[in-house]
Amino acid sequence: YRPELDISQELDAELISRYLQLIGMLRWAIELGRLDINLEVSLLSQYQASPRVGHLDSLYHIFAYLKGHPNMGRIAYDPKHPRVDYSVFNETADWESFYGDVEEELPPKMPEPLGHPVN
């Protein structure tokens, strides 16, 4: 399916709202780990301003795919905490000797800052 070549009828206001809801649901599914649908949802997301019937049908196909493949694309989370060797971090580093006598370069036309300076 090539959504950019779809010439089916444009959706009415009610179906456009439904289309936007479905895109939102699928984006959350991607955020939660369903990376296997990322490309397809991204391609269909670009038609949110003027979706067509074929685009909505494609969203329904993605939901059918998710229903048929419930365990695909999930990221496994390890509940154990990693062991970190804090002895390798230098808590007492002398950063002035590392960087030298430098000052932050500010833009030439920067407005005067308001409020108190941060130390």
Side-chain angles (χ1 to χ4, degrees), residues 71-117:
N71 295 321
M72 299 245 333
R74 291 199 179 158
I75 298 175
Y77 294 99
D78 187 4
K80 295 182 274 181
H81 293 285
R83 284 185 273 166
V84 178
D85 181 13
Y86 289 101
S87 66
V88 298
F89 296 103
N90 188 355
E91 299 277 333
T92 60
D94 181 20
W95 294 109
E96 189 171 333
S97 66
F98 182 79
Y99 285 109
D101 188 26
V102 296
E103 286 188 25
E104 181 180 4
E105 185 176 336
L106 300 175
K109 294 184 178 181
M110 186 177 120
E112 189 65 33
L114 303 175
H116 303 291

Side-chain angles (χ1 to χ4, degrees), residues 57-73:
D57 289 341
S58 295
L59 286 182
Y60 290 140
H61 283 286
I62 293 173
F63 277 97
Y65 168 80
L66 291 175
K67 185 176 181 181
H69 300 85
N71 295 321
M72 299 245 333

Side-chain angles (χ1 to χ4, degrees), residues 29-30 33-41 62 65-66 69-75:
I30 293 167
R34 290 306 302 248
L35 302 178
D36 52 333
I37 60 170
N38 189 19
L39 174 66
E40 293 78 8
V41 174
I62 293 173
Y65 168 80
L66 291 175
H69 300 85
N71 295 321
M72 299 245 333
R74 291 199 179 158
I75 298 175

